[in-house]
Amino acid sequence: MMPCTAGVSIASAPEVRRPHIPCERVMLVTIGRTLAVLLICVLFTAPWTALAQAPRGAIYLTDMGNDRIVRINDITGTGWTVLRNRDAGVRQFPFQSGITLDGAGRIYTTDAVNFRIVRVNDMTGAGWTAFGRRGTGTGEFEFAVGIAVDSNGRIYISDATNHRIIRINDMTGAGWTTFGARGAGVNQLNFPQGILVDRSGRIYIADALNDRIVRINDMTGAGWVAFGRLGAGVSQFEFPAGAAIDATGRIHVTDSSNDRVVRINDMTGAGWTAFGSIGTGVNQFSFPTGIFVDAAGRIYVSDEVHRIVRFNDMTGAGWTALGSMGTGVNQFSFPSAIFVDGTGR
């Protein structure tokens, strides 16, 4: 067990390849192909704030290094609103890594180093509800990362260092169901990251340290299909962290350690299209993680170089970036997950 200087520790750290996060913000336990879970050692504390309601198309993201959720009206940064703090109390989350909304507009985030998930009604923090504690059993997480909500309101979480996904009926933890065990075979996962549920109820998982994406029909593992292997070529990933589906069912993946976004037509890998290269300029990424595709087919990506980007399609047309490193308005510190509200609140 390696302690973080902020007083947080994680046991049984997984293998993670090539980080992009500087050491003054994160403790890295080992280097190279082996890297421990990233633990934010934040240097400040700030109060939560709230502004007006958001319109259709509002963008929500987890600004991980700044210990906050950010909402903006659009990619220009208008309507900047934050909910933030650190520690383990109400309206406090020092390492939030996943984000989603349910049909009622409530916001869900994974509070990884507090071993829980959190739901709030809105960006004021009203209705704060937390669920989870540290461990490997029922009602317990070891490093909750991705989160999704299906059309029935059930909540899905990728519990990364327990190498499993979890489904619960609601924030009481009722209906607790787990799937997965550590490994590289069928019904096995290794440090799962992003998770999503399609309109048919099928579950997609970014199985990061197996360098693949997985789809299952339900929490029994029926219909198991895996696609991908380690590498930088066609049909290859290195630490896929996020996944999203567009209106036609095509799958978009952030291939994080290859600094690119990949789109495939289906789980056979047909229509393989890759976009991006390493860098900080236009059409470049540096360890992209979160991804979302809106109803118009525009692609949103959270990029570890303290920005989010939006582009119209896999050619990079309409590339627009927002953000720089910092703690102020239109500034981020390692944004990790992104969600676009197609309804408006």
Side-chain angles (χ1 to χ4, degrees), residues 268-286:
T268 69
W272 174 279
T273 306
F275 168 71
S277 60
I278 188 169
T280 60
V282 175
N283 298 347
Q284 294 183 317
F285 302 104
S286 185

Side-chain angles (χ1 to χ4, degrees), residues 138-178:
T138 301
E140 297 178 328
F141 306 105
E142 189 60 40
F143 199 73
V145 181
I147 191 165
V149 179
D150 70 14
S151 59
N152 295 313
R154 295 178 299 186
I155 306 159
Y156 299 73
I157 307 104
S158 52
D159 187 13
T161 50
N162 281 327
H163 311 289
R164 65 185 182 181
I165 64 168
I166 292 159
R167 187 188 68 201
I168 52 178
N169 294 345
D170 52 44
M171 289 294 290
T172 69
W176 175 277
T177 306
T178 66

Side-chain angles (χ1 to χ4, degrees), residues 58-120:
I59 303 166
Y60 295 76
L61 63 144
T62 49
D63 186 14
M64 195 166 58
N66 283 326
D67 310 302
R68 63 189 182 184
I69 294 171
V70 173
R71 186 190 69 200
I72 51 179
N73 292 351
D74 53 47
I75 198 67
T76 68
T78 60
W80 177 275
T81 308
V82 302
L83 169 63
R84 73 180 181 189
N85 215 317
R86 62 183 296 250
D87 209 348
V90 173
R91 301 194 182 101
Q92 296 175 325
F93 25 72
F95 196 103
Q96 73 286 20
S97 51
I99 193 165
T100 195
L101 271 65
D102 67 14
R106 295 176 298 187
I107 304 160
Y108 298 73
T109 189
T110 47
D111 185 9
V113 298
N114 284 323
F115 315 105
R116 65 186 183 180
I117 62 172
V118 170
R119 186 189 70 199
V120 293

Side-chain angles (χ1 to χ4, degrees), residues 256-280:
S256 299
S257 286
N258 284 324
D259 305 292
R260 64 186 182 182
V261 171
V262 170
R263 186 189 68 203
I264 53 177
N265 294 347
D266 53 44
M267 288 294 290
T268 69
W272 174 279
T273 306
F275 168 71
S277 60
I278 188 169
T280 60

